[in-house]
Amino acid sequence: MSSLAVLPLADRCSYSSFTKSSLSLVNPYLENRDCFFLELSGPRKRSIQQKNVHELKEATKRSLLRKSIDSISFNRGQAAATLERLEAFSPEVAANFSIKADTVDDLIMRLYSQCNDDQAVTSYVALSYCWTQNSRINLSSENLQKIASKEFEYCMPIHPSLFQALLNERQSESEGVWCDQVCIDQSNEVEKQVAIGLMDIIYKEARCVIVALDDITIDVAEEEYLRRYIETYNGLKLNDEARRIPRLRETPPDVSSFHILISLYEKILGAKWFTRAWCAHEMRMGKRHAFLVQCTHIRGRSDTVFRFDGSFLMHMICLAVEFPVHHDITTVRVKLRKVMNIVDGIMKRGQTNNHLDAFTQVFMLHAGGNPKLPLDRRIIDANREKLAIVLNSVGSGLTVQHPSSDRHGEPLATYNECFRVISLLALAANNAAVLCTSGSPFRSEHSTSTKSWLRWPAIDDEDNMSTRGRTMIDTSRILVDAGPRTETVQLDCLILGQSHHFYNPSNYYTSEAQRFLSGCNDHHIGDLNSRFYNWRRLIDLNIETRYVFTLIVACMIQCGISWILDSMKLCGTSFAFHKTADILLSKKNNVNTDIFVHSFVRTVEDKDQLDIILKFGYYIFEKCLHRPWESQQILSAAPHIIAPTSGGPHLIYLPFDHAVTAVMPTALLADEYTDLPRVWLLSRKMVHGAPRFELQGRSRIFGPSFSHRTAAQSVQNLKVYGPL
């Protein structure tokens, strides 16, 4: 008897030569295979019979979703407090949201299964795919009658071969399949809204998320190449670094000659699925992923499907760093790394806790909206879908209100207005991110004359805005006035200094910094080929970057070795320098604080110490400058030292024309926020005989801790306006 004969599934398929001949299990996951080919034979299902879509009993539904039910109850209390604060900030914005009901009770959960025994269903897989016009259900009166009588046949949501492969992913015949097209009553708006609010739970609790890339196919040459390539890939151990960072440090990287692999990579990332907001959300929520791509029909009446998981996709992304790919694919790759939450080559699943980060991820992707609506209303509906995804992504416990016909105005009509709504919601949720964005000033698309204290996130803000593990800010003393012409924020702030408190490093220390950098170059300190904090490449980039980096080093020298060590320790987990800081600490009492003299570079140990210091200087440079390759941006500001009378010394990055007052909201004094741009740079103007402070920008600050500062040292209820 062949190995296929023992498969209990009614929808059988044969495996490629990579499958063990002794296979007696249904699911290939149990073989520890990441990618392989499935050879499908026999007739294909052309439709899904409604009689095979079963509504689950309450006990079965709760058993499948039990791990997430407790979190819903927990979030309801947080959601109520958030909505109350948002109502105080802006009743107009708060009207867009409501607290999720106990929607597990309200959820009607159906699964596709050929097993009629409800109690036998102990798990399910969830399908993630792109809707097409052909897959939408025609809700005619005749079809509605068939649906009511359980005699309707749904159009296949994906290609029949991919659906066959989807069925093969089940562990048994009793394992269900969840697909929104057939498991949600598309004619019932209330049911749809409940399901949308729980989409994160549905995909989070699925045993596996099956992704159907239905708009691409793998051609013959690509298939033949892949069969050879994955034989080597599957031979690697699961924890082998070559899987995560393939061909690391190869010179030259021979992958550049693999034009077929490049073509395949571009084809996969060019699939529509990677541009859809809902698809990205489904991927982030999933525990495990399996991607299905149809191969060109070449083997008689059989079909071939290539199946790979998230690890192989991440492998290709890392491999493709060396690829000279098309610009559009590069853009998709950047988006995908963000969507997949890839950090240091590892994909991290689950929810984020940063509203602005989730907003950026979701709104760079596409959502269709209701196709029955006029174009302008469809755009608003698409924005509502995206906001629903953001709310699910952060576990807010809130849902987007279905718009009523008597509502006046629409705050969700544009990208800018959606950003404003999410920013205020983030502040109401005690999220520090909205107080630390350092990009350009926010402007309303409805009225460009409206001045707001809000700012867009800068390029590197998103990587540092996570508040997980941080003390959440207290917004009880923060007031927002969202008027038609101005939007202001009122909060307690610690005054750090005014213009006369800031100064550049002296000429002496600037000269010492130049000598120091020249000496380090002469003694070949630092690895020129290092991928991280490569200060040697930085100073060779252009004259402007070398000048600014020299000023940073001069500030560090002037502040002294104790300041450097304390600052490195305070930055802590932001980088790995703390592991070797003990070397410098051991030298602290044995050498003069001016350890940077040219003659200090004597031993290998000395070189390592100085390389650590310069890497910390690069860290400061990178945190203060979002676009170091743009010389115009570099020359617009410079590092300054705040006078010790303000509790310093502290290093801060300020514009050359620094007629500003530097303040720090007391909500951000804790050390957990050290790596964020938490210093507000305010200009002071007299309006009708009274001072008015306008937010000109935000900056990071390095130096001693502010956590010991008390409320008595701060200015109460400082009202901050947006810039002109």
Side-chain angles (χ1 to χ4, degrees):
M1 180 182 296
S2 70
S3 62
L4 296 174
V6 299
L7 292 178
L9 285 180
D11 307 299
R12 293 175 181 169
C13 68
S14 62
Y15 292 89
S16 71
S17 58
F18 296 107
T19 304
K20 294 179 181 178
S21 59
S22 60
L23 176 66
S24 60
L25 298 170
V26 175
N27 196 304
Y29 274 122
L30 303 179
E31 291 192 288
N32 293 325
R33 298 285 189 183
D34 288 329
C35 50
F36 46 80
F37 288 88
L38 296 172
E39 313 293 352
L40 306 172
S41 59
R44 302 286 173 270
K45 293 180 180 295
R46 300 296 173 181
S47 63
I48 298 176
Q49 295 182 341
Q50 189 183 5
K51 66 179 182 180
N52 291 329
V53 181
H54 307 287
E55 182 177 333
L56 301 182
K57 296 177 182 178
E58 186 68 20
T60 304
K61 176 184 68 176
R62 286 189 169 271
S63 176
L64 292 175
L65 306 178
R66 63 185 181 277
K67 293 182 180 178
S68 295
I69 291 177
D70 292 341
S71 66
I72 295 176
S73 301
F74 174 74
N75 283 337
R76 284 180 61 81
Q78 287 185 331
T82 298
L83 197 58
E84 182 179 355
R85 286 190 290 267
L86 186 60
E87 177 77 23
F89 291 162
S90 173
E92 175 195 22
V93 170
N96 290 281
F97 307 103
S98 62
I99 301 173
K100 283 185 180 180
D102 191 0
T103 45
V104 172
D105 288 335
D106 299 335
L107 175 68
I108 299 175
M109 189 169 184
R110 303 179 182 89
L111 292 177
Y112 170 83
S113 175
Q114 293 172 316
C115 177
N116 294 322
D117 184 3
D118 188 275
Q119 294 181 346
V121 179
T122 58
S123 63
Y124 65 95
V125 295
L127 175 63
S128 180
Y129 67 107
C130 289
W131 278 55
T132 63
Q133 193 62 37
N134 293 334
S135 65
R136 298 184 183 278
I137 300 174
N138 181 10
L139 299 176
S140 63
S141 57
E142 179 182 357
N143 285 342
L144 289 175
Q145 290 177 0
K146 290 182 179 180
I147 292 174
S149 61
K150 306 293 184 181
E151 298 177 353
F152 186 73
E153 291 191 2
Y154 298 96
C155 294
M156 193 65 68
I158 56 178
H159 191 278
S161 296
L162 297 183
F163 192 78
Q164 188 84 358
L166 163 66
L167 295 179
N168 185 74
E169 288 288 330
R170 296 177 297 166
Q171 290 181 325
S172 68
E173 283 187 333
S174 63
E175 184 167 52
V177 175
W178 191 90
C179 170
D180 56 359
Q181 178 183 313
V182 300
C183 296
I184 301 175
D185 183 353
Q186 301 298 324
S187 65
N188 189 326
E189 287 296 327
V190 175
E191 181 179 333
K192 286 170 62 177
Q193 291 302 314
V194 171
I196 288 174
L198 280 174
M199 203 65 69
D200 54 335
I201 292 175
I202 291 173
Y203 279 87
K204 187 187 300 182
E205 294 303 328
R207 183 184 60 79
C208 183
V209 174
I210 312 299
V211 178
L213 304 181
D214 203 12
D215 59 327
I216 62 172
T217 58
I218 295 175
D219 63 31
V220 177
E222 291 167 341
E223 179 182 343
E224 291 177 348
Y225 176 83
L226 268 176
R227 286 180 181 272
R228 296 192 302 270
Y229 187 85
I230 65 176
E231 186 172 12
T232 301
Y233 174 81
N234 285 336
L236 298 173
K237 294 181 180 180
L238 292 176
N239 59 352
D240 196 320
E241 188 182 46
R243 276 195 168 199
R244 188 164 57 88
I245 311 177
R247 308 189 184 280
L248 180 64
R249 300 186 182 93
E250 281 193 8
T251 306
D254 60 357
V255 295
S256 61
S257 63
F258 296 165
H259 63 278
I260 295 180
L261 192 59
I262 296 174
S263 172
L264 178 63
Y265 173 79
E266 290 184 331
K267 180 179 292 186
I268 290 176
L269 289 196
K272 290 182 179 179
W273 187 89
F274 291 104
T275 67
R276 297 299 193 266
W278 275 116
C279 296
H281 180 60
E282 292 158 6
M283 182 174 187
R284 290 202 66 169
M285 293 298 106
K287 300 173 185 176
R288 312 175 78 171
H289 310 89
F291 293 80
L292 304 176
V293 184
Q294 189 182 14
C295 298
T296 303
H297 193 122
I298 59 173
R299 288 179 171 78
R301 289 181 296 176
S302 67
D303 289 336
T304 304
V305 172
F306 178 51
R307 185 263 194 207
F308 60 96
D309 72 351
S311 297
F312 184 72
L313 177 62
M314 188 169 65
H315 172 86
M316 291 192 69
I317 292 173
C318 294
L319 191 69
V321 170
E322 309 288 350
F323 290 179
V325 296
H326 190 273
H327 171 72
D328 292 342
I329 300 301
T330 302
T331 302
V332 172
R333 182 171 64 198
V334 172
K335 291 179 180 179
L336 185 59
R337 292 184 68 91
K338 196 66 180 176
V339 166
M340 293 175 67
N341 198 21
I342 297 176
V343 180
D344 295 333
I346 300 174
M347 183 172 63
K348 300 183 178 181
R349 63 173 291 270
Q351 295 174 327
T352 179
N353 65 331
N354 181 0
H355 294 70
L356 299 188
D357 190 26
F359 173 86
T360 302
Q361 294 174 22
V362 172
F363 273 77
M364 68 182 177
L365 301 172
H366 177 73
N370 190 340
K372 297 180 180 179
L373 296 174
L375 181 59
D376 57 337
R377 301 301 302 176
R378 184 175 179 180
I379 292 174
I380 296 173
D381 190 60
N383 285 338
R384 289 184 175 278
E385 287 185 20
K386 292 181 179 181
L387 284 177
I389 297 173
V390 173
L391 295 178
N392 283 343
S393 297
V394 299
S396 67
L398 298 175
T399 187
V400 181
Q401 280 273 56
H402 191 68
S404 59
S405 57
D406 59 346
R407 286 193 61 188
H408 300 288
E410 180 52 71
L412 306 179
T414 67
Y415 176 82
N416 279 22
E417 293 308 309
C418 288
F419 173 77
R420 173 178 172 270
V421 166
I422 280 296
S423 295
L424 294 179
L425 179 61
L427 187 61
N430 297 332
N431 195 304
V434 70
L435 299 180
C436 301
T437 51
S438 57
S440 58
F442 171 78
R443 289 287 186 269
S444 171
E445 291 178 342
H446 293 313
S447 175
T448 55
S449 61
T450 300
K451 295 184 294 183
S452 174
W453 64 277
L454 295 172
R455 299 184 80 87
W456 293 97
I459 290 176
D460 70 336
D461 284 348
E462 299 165 18
D463 295 330
N464 298 287
M465 287 297 178
S466 173
T467 53
R468 194 177 303 280
R470 304 182 196 265
T471 304
M472 298 302 288
I473 61 174
D474 179 12
T475 59
S476 60
R477 291 186 54 81
I478 298 179
L479 301 176
V480 174
D481 182 9
R485 303 290 295 179
T486 60
E487 284 190 340
T488 63
V489 61
Q490 192 168 311
L491 69 177
D492 299 342
C493 292
L494 178 71
I495 304 296
L496 301 179
Q498 300 179 6
S499 300
H500 59 279
H501 293 133
F502 307 128
Y503 57 89
N504 296 117
S506 68
N507 292 334
Y508 169 77
Y509 286 107
T510 301
S511 177
E512 284 294 299
Q514 292 172 341
R515 290 179 56 221
F516 173 54
L517 290 175
S518 297
C520 288
N521 258 334
D522 294 341
H523 289 81
H524 307 290
I525 293 175
D527 182 3
L528 189 60
N529 297 317
S530 174
R531 298 173 62 190
F532 305 104
Y533 303 110
N534 193 327
W535 60 270
R536 292 190 65 184
R537 286 188 178 179
L538 182 69
I539 62 176
D540 292 336
L541 188 60
N542 53 51
I543 297 175
E544 292 83 3
T545 56
R546 185 183 182 94
Y547 170 71
V548 173
F549 186 67
T550 301
L551 290 181
I552 290 176
V553 174
C555 290
M556 294 168 60
I557 296 174
Q558 188 163 344
C559 290
I561 186 173
S562 295
W563 181 92
I564 295 174
L565 294 172
D566 292 341
S567 299
M568 289 170 62
K569 183 179 180 181
L570 195 60
C571 291
T573 57
S574 297
F575 51 91
F577 304 155
H578 63 283
K579 295 180 180 179
T580 50
D582 290 341
I583 300 175
L584 287 174
L585 285 170
S586 66
K587 292 280 186 178
K588 178 179 176 182
N589 298 322
N590 299 326
V591 298
N592 189 281
T593 54
D594 186 10
I595 69 168
F596 304 94
V597 295
H598 192 108
S599 60
F600 182 77
V601 184
R602 297 173 181 171
T603 67
V604 174
E605 184 183 73
D606 293 336
K607 291 183 178 182
D608 291 340
Q609 295 173 44
L610 298 186
D611 186 41
I612 293 169
I613 293 172
L614 288 177
K615 284 183 176 179
F616 182 59
Y618 184 103
Y619 173 82
I620 294 175
F621 182 95
E622 187 180 62
K623 290 296 182 182
C624 293
L625 290 169
H626 312 304
R627 295 173 294 276
W629 53 88
E630 296 181 9
S631 58
Q632 183 178 1
Q633 192 257 348
I634 289 177
L635 293 178
S636 64
H640 290 72
I641 299 174
I642 299 181
T645 54
S646 64
H650 287 90
L651 190 155
I652 189 172
Y653 216 80
L654 296 173
F656 281 111
D657 182 19
H658 55 268
V660 295
T661 299
V663 305
M664 184 184 297
T666 56
L668 301 175
L669 292 180
D671 292 343
E672 291 93 331
Y673 301 104
T674 297
D675 58 335
L676 302 182
R678 53 179 176 162
V679 176
W680 292 26
L681 306 178
L682 309 178
S683 62
R684 185 175 182 271
K685 298 182 179 180
M686 299 300 295
V687 179
H688 303 300
R692 186 168 81 175
F693 292 94
E694 297 181 356
L695 180 62
Q696 301 299 326
R698 294 190 176 107
S699 181
R700 289 175 172 82
I701 191 168
F702 301 88
S705 172
F706 288 95
S707 59
H708 64 282
R709 301 300 180 92
T710 64
Q713 297 173 288
S714 64
V715 175
Q716 309 295 311
N717 302 320
L718 182 66
K719 194 170 187 177
V720 179
Y721 292 76
L724 289 175

